[in-house]
Amino acid sequence: MTDKLLAARNAWGLLLVISAVSFLAAELVGQRTVAIAAIMIIAAVKIAVILVRFMDVSTAPPAIRRYLYVWTGAVAAAVIALWQVSATG
């Protein structure tokens, strides 16, 4: 088995585990705001795994890597903030 195929299979396993953790966070966390924040943070981690393993961002120029990671975090933070504003307003 080639190294690239093995890495992809390991990444899929990691994504499945992260998805299970996201499901558990949604089901077991009692406070809704904490659950939403946890799910969005977990989703950002999943995006980072996909960027590195399947889109080969690890070989991209550093500026592109930083942009994609910051964009991922900013979108997750924006969703959390907008949900918080809509839930309280």
Side-chain angles (χ1 to χ4, degrees):
M1 189 176 297
T2 65
D3 290 337
K4 198 160 185 125
L5 184 60
L6 184 61
R9 192 166 63 170
N10 290 341
W12 274 110
L14 178 62
L15 289 171
L16 287 172
V17 169
I18 293 171
S19 295
V21 169
S22 179
F23 174 76
L24 291 174
E27 292 295 321
L28 300 179
V29 174
Q31 195 173 19
R32 200 172 194 181
T33 305
V34 175
I36 294 292
I39 291 167
M40 287 311 301
I41 292 168
I42 292 167
V45 170
K46 286 172 68 173
I47 292 169
V49 170
I50 291 168
L51 286 172
V52 170
R53 289 292 178 195
F54 297 108
M55 298 181 74
D56 288 331
V57 171
S58 58
T59 61
I64 292 174
R65 274 185 300 207
R66 277 193 300 272
Y67 172 77
L68 289 172
Y69 295 143
V70 169
W71 179 82
T72 300
V75 169
V79 169
I80 292 168
L82 290 171
W83 186 86
Q84 183 67 26
V85 168
S86 70
T88 59

